[in-house]
Amino acid sequence: MAIRLIAIDIDGTLLNQKREITLRVQQAVRTVNQRGVAIILATGRPFIGIQRYLKELELNRDDQYCITNNGALVQNVVNGESLLEVLLTFDDYLYCEYLSRVLNVHFQAFSKKEMFTSNKDISKYTVREAWMTGIPLRYCDVSDMDSNLMFPKLMMIDSSECLDSAVASLPIEVFKQFNIMKSAPCYLEILNKRVNKGFSLSFLAKKMGLNRKEVMAIGDQENDLAMLEYAGTSVAMGNSIDVVKEAAKFVTNSNQEDGVARAIEEFLET
C-alpha cells in the first residue's frame, strides 16, 4: 500500500548536528509533499519552535498540520489552532514541581505560549531550550503561578547523571499517573497519561481517512517510539538510541548523512 503520510521528528532526525535541514532532505520532503504525500512534523518542541522549519519545507499552508509537545497538541501550521489537545492540570504542575525539589533536579513547565521555571538558579538546559525554540522564558515562583493554567507538558531537566538518578527514585505512582519518557539524555518529559506521538499521529491519520499501513514515521529517541509502533513503515535514524533501532522495521542513515532523505527516496521512489 502506498505511503500517504510521513511523520518526521525534528531534533536528531530532520535536523543535522548544526540544527539545519540539509538541501537533500529539504528537496526530498518538498518533492513528495508536492506529489500529495502529507508531511507531519512530530516533535517535543512547542509550536513556536518549529515555524522556521515549516517555512523552509514549504509546509506553512492551511491544509497542513503538526504534532507538538510530544503529542499533547495537534495544530494547524498557519495559525497554531488546536485540533487536539490533551493537557496537564495545575495540580499536576504542583505535584511534579514538588517532586523535582525532592529529587533535586531542575524543572520547567510549558503553557501553549510560554515556558516557566520556579528555579531561581535557572538551569543552563532551560536557557538552552528557550534559545533553541524561541519560546519566551519566565521565572515564576510557584505561589505566583496562575492556577487557571493548563500545560501541554512538564519537564525535569538536568545532567544525564542527575536525571537518571532522579528517574530511578521516582515513586511508582508517577508512572501510573503520567506518561514519562526521555527526549534527550538531559530531558525527562512528563505528559498526560494518554499522550504520545503515536496517539496524535493516529488521530491525524483517522482525520485524513488513512490507515496505519499508509503512514511512515521517522525518529531517533525514546519519545518517538509510540509513533514508530503505530506507523506501518517505521524508520529509525542511524544515530538513534538502540531501543529505537530495535523497535523500527528499518534503519536509515544518520542525521549527519541525510537519513530522512534516504528513507523518503527508498520508500517513495523520488
Side-chain angles (χ1 to χ4, degrees):
M1 186 173 288
I3 293 170
R4 298 177 59 193
L5 185 160
I6 307 175
I8 309 173
D9 171 56
I10 293 182
D11 295 291
T13 301
L14 180 71
L15 306 183
N16 63 17
Q17 291 178 4
K18 294 181 180 179
R19 298 187 185 86
E20 298 170 338
I21 304 175
T22 66
L23 181 60
R24 181 181 170 192
V25 170
Q26 185 182 98
Q27 290 176 336
V29 170
R30 286 180 176 179
T31 296
V32 294
N33 187 237
Q34 289 166 1
R35 292 179 184 175
V37 177
I39 303 293
I40 305 296
L41 298 190
T43 180
R45 291 183 181 222
F47 181 66
I48 192 172
I50 71 170
Q51 292 177 33
R52 62 172 289 190
Y53 305 118
L54 292 167
K55 184 176 181 180
E56 280 185 46
L57 296 171
E58 299 179 352
L59 299 175
N60 52 338
R61 307 191 308 271
D62 197 51
D63 61 341
Q64 300 286 327
Y65 307 104
C66 59
I67 294 170
T68 63
N69 295 278
N70 280 315
L73 299 175
V74 174
Q75 295 172 273
N76 178 289
V77 302
V78 172
N79 55 25
E81 180 181 346
S82 296
L83 285 74
L84 174 72
E85 53 182 56
V86 184
L87 308 177
L88 296 165
T89 67
F90 189 71
D91 284 343
D92 294 329
Y93 163 81
L94 292 176
Y95 176 55
C96 293
E97 194 280 335
Y98 163 76
L99 271 181
S100 73
R101 285 185 279 114
V102 170
L103 297 171
N104 197 30
V105 293
H106 288 85
F107 181 79
Q108 60 196 35
F110 291 78
S111 70
K112 292 182 185 177
K113 296 183 178 180
E114 294 180 288
M115 179 168 63
F116 300 88
T117 181
S118 55
N119 305 130
K120 290 183 178 179
D121 60 329
I122 298 178
S123 167
K124 65 180 180 180
Y125 301 105
T126 295
V127 174
R128 178 179 179 273
E129 179 86 356
W131 167 79
M132 185 173 69
T133 65
I135 192 168
L137 169 61
R138 287 180 55 192
Y139 163 74
C140 189
D141 188 82
V142 174
S143 61
D144 296 325
M145 285 285 284
D146 181 356
S147 60
N148 293 310
L149 281 174
M150 300 282 282
F151 305 91
K153 69 174 183 177
L154 308 171
M155 291 177 69
M156 292 184 186
I157 43 104
D158 227 301
S159 68
S160 57
E161 296 82 6
C162 290
L163 203 56
D164 288 345
S165 176
V167 171
S169 300
L170 283 171
I172 190 65
E173 291 78 13
V174 173
F175 295 94
K176 294 178 180 178
Q177 186 173 348
F178 304 104
N179 190 4
I180 307 289
M181 68 184 79
K182 273 195 168 186
S183 57
C186 301
Y187 293 162
L188 186 73
E189 313 270 344
I190 305 170
L191 306 164
N192 183 290
K193 188 65 177 177
R194 291 190 292 145
V195 167
N196 56 56
K197 292 184 183 182
F199 168 78
S200 294
L201 183 56
S202 172
F203 168 85
L204 268 179
K206 290 175 183 175
K207 176 179 174 59
M208 299 168 70
L210 305 177
N211 65 56
R212 62 197 304 172
K213 292 181 180 179
E214 298 172 288
V215 177
M216 172 192 279
I218 312 173
D220 73 304
Q221 285 290 334
E222 182 181 341
N223 61 324
D224 298 316
L225 283 170
M227 73 171 182
L228 293 174
E229 291 167 0
Y230 169 78
T233 303
S234 54
V235 181
M237 299 296 290
N239 53 287
S240 298
I241 60 175
D242 288 344
V243 68
V244 171
K245 290 180 179 178
E246 292 166 3
K249 294 178 181 176
F250 306 96
V251 178
T252 186
N253 293 350
S254 75
N255 63 331
Q256 288 295 98
E257 303 167 303
D258 300 315
V260 167
R262 181 188 169 203
I264 290 174
E265 291 161 1
E266 288 193 359
F267 286 99
L268 286 91
E269 299 180 354
T270 62

